[in-house]
């Protein structure tokens, strides 16, 4: 038996980041300050951005640059992608 009442309740965090900021983090143009982070929370937020930027970069390199090379299925869902 595990006492679940002593654990903090699960949370869902929604993070909004501009694409340009993700690109800057992925390209190492946006780095942590040389003097260090203000506190542990800021360090954790930056780590989250680095993880998002890595995933964003991986999605970009998996996508073909020409629309004619794209698969008929959306890479982000199981839905059929529309071709124009």
């Amino acid at each position: 038996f595990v006492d679940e009442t002593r654990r903090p309740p699960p949370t869902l965090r929604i993070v909004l980041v501009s694409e340009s900021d993700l690109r800057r983090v992925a390209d190492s143009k946006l780095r942590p300050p040389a003097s260090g982070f203000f506190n542990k929370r800021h360090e954790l937020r930056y780590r989250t951005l680095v993880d998002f930027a890595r995933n964003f970069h991986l999605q970009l390199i998996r996508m073909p640059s020409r629309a004619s090379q794209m698969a008929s299925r959306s890479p982000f869902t199981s839905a059929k992608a529309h071709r124009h």
Side-chain angles (χ1 to χ4, degrees), residues 21-38:
D21 285 342
L22 286 177
R23 287 180 187 273
R24 291 177 61 212
V25 171
D27 294 339
S28 297
K29 293 178 181 174
L30 181 63
R31 296 177 171 253
S35 60
F37 292 100
F38 183 69

Side-chain angles (χ1 to χ4, degrees), residues 18-83:
S18 71
E19 185 176 321
S20 62
D21 285 342
L22 286 177
R23 287 180 187 273
R24 291 177 61 212
V25 171
D27 294 339
S28 297
K29 293 178 181 174
L30 181 63
R31 296 177 171 253
S35 60
F37 292 100
F38 183 69
N39 59 34
K40 193 69 169 173
R41 185 182 71 195
H42 290 154
E43 182 179 356
L44 292 173
R45 286 180 178 178
Y46 183 77
R47 286 185 191 173
T48 300
L49 285 177
V50 169
D51 187 45
F52 275 30
R54 183 179 51 82
N55 289 326
F56 176 71
H57 177 74
L58 290 173
Q59 288 175 353
L60 287 179
I61 62 175
R62 289 183 187 145
M63 296 293 295
S65 60
R66 295 178 55 192
S68 62
Q69 296 173 332
M70 287 183 71
S72 62
R73 293 226 173 248
S74 169
F76 303 109
T77 69
S78 61
K80 217 42 168 151
H82 296 284
R83 288 187 177 238

